[in-house]
Amino acid sequence: MKDPVREATERLRAAKLLSARADARILWRHAEGRDDVFQQFIARRLSHEPVAYITGHKEFWSLDFDVGPGVLIPRPETETLVEQALRELGDRTRSYRLLDLGTGSGCLLIALLKELSNATGIGVDASADALAVASTNLLRHGLVNRAALVAGGWDAAPGQFDLIVANPPYVRSGDLQALPPDVRDNEPKEALDGGPDGLDAYRSLAFLLPRYLSSTGIALLEIGAGQHQVVGLMEAAGLVLFRIVPDLAGIPRCLVVGLGRGLERLAQKKIGNRGPTR
Ligand SMILES: C[S@@+](CC[C@H](N)C(=O)[O-])C[C@H]1O[C@@H](n2cnc3c(N)ncnc32)[C@H](O)[C@@H]1O
């Protein structure tokens, strides 16, 4: 008897799908041994539907998130923001106010709220589909009492924040067509399209961050490969660059910026990393 996973792996490989074996295994598990269901899943994968949309799940920061069409599938490199935010804050028990701009599935907000036991947060998104998924995820992770979702543009959040995270759309409009079909034909354009030079969202954020940040607050922004111009946009808006942090592949991925008061934090770190910096 043929092994269904091996057979499916060969079909996916023949269609030049890179993670053929892993995909076949995940989809077999999700089909719970029903071969007819498995074959339907493989057919969907062969038409380049992402595995996470077929299963409805994606892991991020070792947490399980609901995902579906209309919401960006969380990427491993975005975990760089969570890791760095925790490093910057030090003390995980304070009652920080968090803001996640372009929350999508809510992965950044939820991962941070899970780690910061007394923090509260707001997730903003212009997409109703994304907010519906984020709302399900907040419920699943037991965080509805510590988080609110706001529908609207980058400027829709009320108040000031100690920690801001944002993974905005940053693909140049002209590059969208060249994206792999899994992404281009399935994930929401509004989560990807950063305008003619990929920097539209950063211009808005540069203008808004000085208003959103508390005096000692910090913002962590994901950037695309080679998007160093974002530093200039932030500095032109009066923000101070504290750090550029690479992802696991060594690509500069996360900018840490703040207001001038943040310089005290930097000075303290240079003195020798003694004690908390906030
Ligand atoms: C790259 S996705 C990031 C999603 C999630 N934070 C993550 O890291 O997986 C960008 C998100 O920004 C949202 N977005 C795009 N333009 C926006 C705008 N003008 N105002 C608010 N949200 C916006 C999109 O709907 C999308 O959910």
Side-chain angles (χ1 to χ4, degrees):
M1 210 179 89
K2 278 200 165 176
D3 174 354
V5 173
R6 182 177 295 176
E7 199 181 32
T9 301
E10 283 164 15
R11 290 174 66 202
L12 295 175
R13 247 182 219 143
K16 303 211 180 330
L17 290 163
L18 290 179
S19 50
R21 187 167 165 70
D23 290 0
R25 288 175 116 164
I26 294 169
L27 294 175
W28 176 250
R29 216 176 307 130
H30 192 62
E32 295 175 335
R34 293 163 298 175
D35 192 55
D36 54 333
V37 175
F38 181 55
Q39 295 309 327
Q40 287 167 22
F41 289 166
I42 294 299
R44 287 168 66 181
R45 186 70 195 109
L46 283 167
S47 70
H48 290 281
E49 187 173 345
V51 169
Y53 285 167
I54 300 172
T55 62
H57 293 271
K58 181 71 184 175
E59 187 185 300
F60 179 86
W61 198 251
S62 300
L63 299 168
D64 183 49
F65 286 90
D66 274 28
V67 292
V71 68
L72 190 94
I73 300 166
R75 304 293 204 269
E77 60 268 26
T78 300
E79 292 183 352
T80 311
L81 272 70
V82 180
E83 200 172 352
Q84 189 61 28
L86 297 175
R87 212 173 274 146
E88 299 284 343
L89 294 176
D91 182 354
R92 297 193 186 187
T93 63
R94 292 199 199 173
S95 41
Y96 300 109
R97 292 156 298 164
L98 315 186
L99 174 62
D100 178 11
L101 290 165
T103 196
S105 62
C107 60
L108 280 169
L109 179 64
I110 289 169
L112 286 163
L113 288 175
K114 282 283 185 189
E115 298 288 347
L116 304 167
S117 50
N118 295 308
T120 54
I122 292 178
V124 172
D125 209 291
S127 156
D129 287 346
L131 287 176
V133 174
S135 168
T136 305
N137 282 322
L138 281 174
L139 199 64
R140 284 193 55 199
H141 289 288
L143 290 168
V144 284
N145 293 334
R146 289 205 281 137
L149 297 173
V150 176
W154 303 123
D155 61 351
Q160 291 196 314
F161 301 89
D162 305 303
L163 174 66
I164 299 174
V165 287
N167 172 19
Y170 54 64
V171 180
R172 280 194 294 257
S173 306
D175 292 344
L176 289 172
Q177 269 308 312
L179 290 174
D182 296 31
V183 180
R184 183 192 61 215
D185 301 337
N186 291 279
E187 296 197 76
K189 186 167 174 270
E190 57 272 26
L192 301 168
D193 189 351
D197 63 357
L199 304 178
D200 278 3
Y202 299 104
R203 289 191 187 88
S204 304
L205 297 179
F207 175 74
L208 288 166
L209 287 178
R211 184 184 102 194
Y212 276 145
L213 280 166
S214 69
S215 61
T216 57
I218 48 168
L220 284 83
L221 309 176
E222 179 164 330
I223 56 168
Q227 286 183 323
H228 292 97
Q229 313 95 301
V230 178
V231 174
L233 291 176
M234 296 300 145
E235 288 178 341
L239 292 154
V240 176
L241 175 73
F242 297 142
R243 255 169 290 287
I244 304 178
V245 185
D247 62 20
L248 288 176
I251 298 169
R253 186 62 68 190
C254 166
L255 300 188
V256 185
V257 299
L259 301 171
R261 277 287 305 278
L263 282 174
E264 292 163 22
R265 298 160 32 82
L266 196 65
Q268 274 174 307
K269 288 209 165 185
K270 278 191 177 152
I271 288 165
N273 267 337
R274 272 166 288 162
T277 54
R278 288 174 62 85

